[in-house]
Amino acid sequence: DDAVTTNKNYSLSRGNHVCDDPVLEADDIPREDGGVQAILELLCTLGAAQKLLCQFRCREALQIFHQLPFQQFNTGWVQHQVGRAYFEMADYQNSKRALETMQRVEPHRMKGLEVLSTTLWHLKKEVELSDLAQRAVDFDRMAPESWCVVGNCFSLQKEHETALTFFRRSIQVDSSFTYSYTLSGHEYVSNEDFDKAVSCYRDAIRTDGCGRHYNAWYGLGAIYFRQEKYDLAEYHFQKALTINPQSSVLHCHLGMAQYANGKPYEALDTLEGAFQLDPHNAQARYQRATILMSLNRPQQALLEFEKVRDAAPREASVHFAMGRVLKRLGRPEQAMRCFLIALDLDPKDNNLIKSAMDRLDEPDIEEDVSAF
């Protein structure tokens, strides 16, 4: 009897509910007005959408969420997931709209406020972020999300040390709150304190129970890239991309690391993946043009730079790079025009631009068009 009792207690603790009642077959469950079937269908729909979101297949997840009945779609949990999906797609306006709806229908919900605060940070909404921080702290000072919101508020105002104080407070409240470690890493990077940033990103990876926090892997890759440790940068960008293969931005950064690591053809293949995910990724197109120039394919590079210029007409570095490409193609007049536009857009770098203009009639040499 003691053995039986022990086995029953163990099963309960593991989630297997042992009871003496006969097991009900599916056909024995009452289905008044189809209620059970409706609940099962709802749970299947939510589960399918959540699975896609965990795989960062955000567009597909959103399609499923939008199939929900209005009374289910307009709940705090669903709006939180919708806001996350838009956030991962860098669609910050729609993310803000969904997360504000989450707040409206569930005013006391703390989960999701950290995503809303980062969304407002990206949109540079200082007043709204400050208001959110005040309300969050007033409501629950023991929630890690509250202090995370406050940290983002000071980060937007470039007060990095103060932001770090509040991110540390968030971690004190809940040492398993992964996002605050990552945001602390970002702040240390802003202060160019890379050793502490690396420590924060590693803490984020350590505390992330599900192994899906690609942001910290990306942060480590970005630091190693700045330190010209291209092998390590490539490794960490690849790890981030393994977790979130749907990110055009991650493809772009991995391509940059591969090119810097002496792998131009692999880099071109990786950047092609970035275009498939986001044809409007101007940074990836700029990097591809730079690589094409290094492979002595200036005509193809010029076509890419022209598309980048159309997307970002006031970016001085693009006009400067175009000028160098046109010089190599033997079109000095057009090159001079590009250099003059670059000089007009960014007078601070006039020495570099004027030097290129002075050498316009000299024989072309191998130059890194990204040196601007």
Side-chain angles (χ1 to χ4, degrees):
D1 290 340
D2 292 340
V4 171
T5 302
T6 302
N7 285 338
K8 284 185 178 181
N9 289 337
Y10 177 76
S11 297
L12 285 169
S13 70
R14 300 295 294 173
N16 285 326
H17 297 282
V18 178
C19 62
D20 295 327
D21 294 334
V23 177
L24 290 175
E25 298 294 337
D27 292 339
D28 297 330
I29 300 174
R31 289 183 172 83
E32 296 179 5
D33 299 326
V36 172
Q37 186 66 25
I39 292 172
L40 291 175
E41 289 177 357
L42 174 63
L43 291 175
C44 285
T45 301
L46 294 173
Q50 184 67 3
K51 179 182 177 181
L52 290 169
L53 186 55
C54 288
Q55 296 171 340
F56 298 99
R57 295 160 62 181
C58 299
R59 295 185 191 280
E60 297 168 72
L62 285 170
Q63 289 176 354
I64 295 178
F65 279 128
H66 282 288
Q67 293 172 7
L68 290 169
F70 175 78
Q71 64 269 30
Q72 299 297 335
F73 183 75
N74 205 42
T75 58
W77 186 87
V78 171
Q79 288 299 312
H80 178 191
Q81 308 314 312
V82 170
R84 278 182 54 209
Y86 280 123
F87 180 85
E88 292 295 345
M89 295 165 58
D91 186 347
Y92 299 121
Q93 288 291 352
N94 278 321
S95 177
K96 174 176 177 284
R97 190 174 298 115
L99 293 169
E100 286 177 341
T101 301
M102 173 196 78
Q103 270 207 305
R104 187 170 61 253
V105 299
E106 198 174 331
H108 299 156
R109 182 183 180 89
M110 301 303 294
K111 290 184 181 297
L113 293 189
E114 74 282 7
V115 183
L116 176 56
S117 68
T118 305
T119 299
L120 294 173
W121 186 95
H122 281 290
L123 294 172
K124 311 299 182 189
K125 301 287 187 180
E126 288 192 27
V127 175
E128 292 178 48
L129 183 50
S130 178
D131 176 64
L132 177 65
Q134 184 65 57
R135 286 187 287 113
V137 172
D138 287 346
F139 179 73
D140 189 353
R141 300 177 68 87
M142 296 306 295
E145 292 88 354
S146 297
W147 301 110
C148 184
V149 174
V150 177
N152 266 333
C153 181
F154 282 100
S155 174
L156 183 56
Q157 297 169 25
K158 308 296 184 186
E159 297 184 29
H160 302 300
E161 289 298 333
T162 307
L164 281 165
T165 299
F166 288 109
F167 290 140
R168 283 193 290 267
R169 174 60 178 156
S170 174
I171 293 167
Q172 288 173 349
V173 170
D174 183 357
S175 61
S176 66
F177 194 66
T178 301
Y179 197 46
S180 285
Y181 289 107
T182 301
L183 293 178
S184 296
H186 294 341
E187 294 305 307
Y188 280 123
V189 168
S190 298
N191 286 340
E192 298 192 353
D193 191 342
F194 298 128
D195 290 339
K196 289 184 179 179
V198 166
S199 178
C200 287
Y201 290 137
R202 287 176 177 166
D203 284 338
I205 293 169
R206 175 180 54 80
T207 58
D208 177 34
C210 61
R212 307 297 295 167
H213 195 66
Y214 70 90
N215 315 68
W217 289 101
Y218 163 79
L220 287 169
I223 288 174
Y224 291 130
F225 188 85
R226 289 182 64 171
Q227 294 176 335
E228 299 184 3
K229 299 176 182 178
Y230 299 124
D231 284 332
L232 286 171
E234 183 179 348
Y235 170 79
H236 286 86
F237 286 141
Q238 185 65 67
K239 288 286 290 186
L241 197 58
T242 301
I243 297 170
N244 183 5
Q246 306 301 315
S247 171
S248 177
V249 173
L250 288 178
H251 277 85
C252 180
H253 281 84
L254 176 59
M256 292 166 60
Q258 288 171 329
Y259 172 58
N261 213 15
K263 303 174 183 177
Y265 295 103
E266 288 184 36
L268 287 174
D269 290 340
T270 302
L271 292 172
E272 184 60 36
F275 293 128
Q276 291 176 3
L277 292 166
D278 181 8
H280 305 295
N281 189 330
Q283 175 68 3
R285 200 170 292 282
Y286 181 90
Q287 296 301 325
R288 182 159 75 172
T290 301
I291 295 171
L292 290 170
M293 274 295 289
S294 73
L295 297 174
N296 199 27
R297 291 152 66 177
Q299 191 61 53
Q300 291 174 266
L302 181 61
L303 292 174
E304 296 295 337
F305 278 130
E306 287 174 344
K307 292 175 183 177
V308 179
R309 177 202 58 195
D310 293 341
R314 298 194 59 78
E315 189 63 46
S317 59
V318 177
H319 293 279
F320 182 70
M322 284 183 63
R324 286 185 162 181
V325 176
L326 288 164
K327 176 187 174 183
R328 186 173 300 186
L329 289 170
R331 294 153 66 178
E333 292 182 1
Q334 291 174 279
M336 177 62 77
R337 189 178 304 118
C338 288
F339 288 145
L340 289 171
I341 294 173
L343 188 62
D344 182 58
L345 291 172
D346 193 356
K348 295 192 299 295
D349 288 299
N350 54 19
N351 291 333
L352 182 62
I353 300 172
K354 287 180 179 179
S355 176
M357 292 167 65
D358 292 339
R359 299 198 311 270
L360 193 58
D361 296 327
E362 297 177 8
D364 186 51
I365 58 174
E366 293 290 330
E367 292 178 312
D368 180 7
V369 297
S370 63
F372 184 75

